[in-house]
Amino acid sequence: QEVCPWNRKASRGAEIDPDAMDQLELGPLFDMNDEDFRLRFRRTPLWRTRRRGLLRTAAIVMGNAKNARDVPALKKGLSDNEPIVRGASAWALGKIGDEAAKAHLQARRSRESDESVKLEIDQAIRACS
């Protein structure tokens, strides 16, 4: 922590009890545009990740949870402007692997322009089979 450049200007705050913190709802994050992200997370530790990093991480968490209720949010992630978000969303849908996830992946595959995201979609479709 002492060598981290982000901590140079950090003020000493009170200790935070992790159990007292509200959990961040992941699904609604996929509805945020850049301005929404700025308004909500400026001057917070999540600001460093930028919107694309936060959504990538949210998609990974959702994929590891393998909960079908996350499919609509991840479908939105497949259409994000950022390839890293689209790729992570594809991976997560592949981990969930239900028919809805597979259908969204197949629908997105023909419209995807980024080769690395196409590869991620192809692997996710195979994971659903």
Side-chain angles (χ1 to χ4, degrees), residues 30 51-52 55-56 59 77 80 82-90:
F30 289 86
R51 179 184 165 275
R52 67 181 171 261
L55 293 181
R56 178 191 60 85
D80 196 83
E82 296 284 348
I84 194 167
V85 175
R86 295 194 310 272
S89 296

Side-chain angles (χ1 to χ4, degrees), residues 107-120:
R108 179 64 196 181
R109 176 61 172 86
S110 62
R111 296 182 318 221
E112 182 55 55
S113 60
D114 186 281
E115 290 301 319
S116 66
V117 178
K118 283 182 183 179
L119 179 62
E120 199 66 61

Side-chain angles (χ1 to χ4, degrees), residues 93-107:
L93 287 166
K95 293 297 252 179
I96 293 171
D98 66 7
E99 288 301 315
K102 186 175 182 179
H104 295 313
L105 289 162
Q106 290 171 329

Side-chain angles (χ1 to χ4, degrees), residues 30-90:
F30 289 86
D31 293 322
M32 288 189 329
N33 60 30
D34 286 331
E35 179 64 20
D36 296 334
F37 176 79
R38 261 191 300 282
L39 291 172
R40 182 163 182 198
F41 295 111
R42 189 170 222 162
R43 295 176 180 53
T44 73
L46 292 175
W47 180 252
R48 289 191 304 209
T49 68
R50 306 220 187 280
R51 179 184 165 275
R52 67 181 171 261
L54 180 61
L55 293 181
R56 178 191 60 85
T57 301
I60 291 168
V61 170
M62 290 171 157
N64 284 323
K66 298 180 183 176
N67 192 322
R69 75 164 193 254
D70 293 326
V71 169
L74 292 166
K75 177 188 175 197
K76 292 175 188 173
L78 280 179
S79 298
D80 196 83
N81 290 334
E82 296 284 348
I84 194 167
V85 175
R86 295 194 310 272
S89 296

